[in-house]
């Protein structure tokens, strides 16, 4: 595994840990009667972190041509679409930044 792949794997691990922390905070807030906005923000963070880590792991698995569990499930296609959207958004941001200069 290359250094870049190791960094990508560590990033996925950090995202999963962040998602677990968000889930823990949601449970605590639910028990204390928190505001809806706080819960929605934490749930959105949880979902984003899990999706980011899944995309990273999917990309690593594809590079090594390793089959993933539930490979025939449509969830894989949705993750690939999410990865493509993120790449497109990054390219658009880079283009917008270049046009401003």
């Amino acid at each position: 595994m290359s250094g870049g792949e190791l960094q990508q794997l560590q990033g996925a691990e950090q995202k999963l840990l962040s998602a677990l922390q968000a889930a823990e905070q949601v449970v605590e807030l639910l028990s204390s009667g928190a505001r809806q906005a706080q819960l929605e923000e934490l749930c959105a963070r949880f979902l984003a972190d899990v999706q980011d880590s899944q995309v990273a792991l999917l990309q690593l698995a594809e590079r090594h041509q390793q089959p993933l569990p539930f490979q025939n499930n449509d969830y894989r296609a949705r993750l690939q679409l999410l990865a493509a959207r993120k790449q497109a958004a990054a390219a658009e941001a880079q283009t917008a930044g270049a046009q401003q200069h």
Side-chain angles (χ1 to χ4, degrees):
M1 186 173 285
S2 71
E5 290 174 334
L6 183 58
Q7 277 186 312
Q8 195 172 6
L9 189 58
Q10 288 172 334
E13 180 184 29
Q14 288 173 339
K15 289 288 187 177
L16 286 174
L17 290 174
S18 176
L20 289 173
Q21 289 172 343
E24 182 182 353
Q25 288 175 325
V26 166
V27 171
E28 289 173 7
L29 290 172
L30 284 172
S31 66
S32 68
R35 295 186 346 253
Q36 183 73 21
Q38 283 179 296
L39 293 170
E40 288 175 3
E41 181 183 327
L42 286 169
C43 289
R45 188 178 103 198
F46 171 84
L47 183 59
D49 286 344
V50 169
Q51 287 177 333
D52 287 348
S53 65
Q54 288 172 323
V55 166
L57 294 173
L58 177 67
Q59 290 170 340
L60 285 171
E62 286 178 347
R63 274 191 226 132
H64 293 280
Q65 298 178 345
Q66 298 293 317
L68 295 174
F70 309 110
Q71 189 164 347
N72 296 323
N73 189 316
D74 75 327
Y75 194 65
R76 180 182 176 99
R78 286 187 279 150
L79 282 176
Q80 289 171 328
L81 182 59
L82 177 65
R85 279 192 211 131
K86 287 180 183 265
Q87 289 175 340
E92 288 174 4
Q94 187 177 13
T95 301
Q99 289 176 350
Q100 291 177 355
H101 295 292

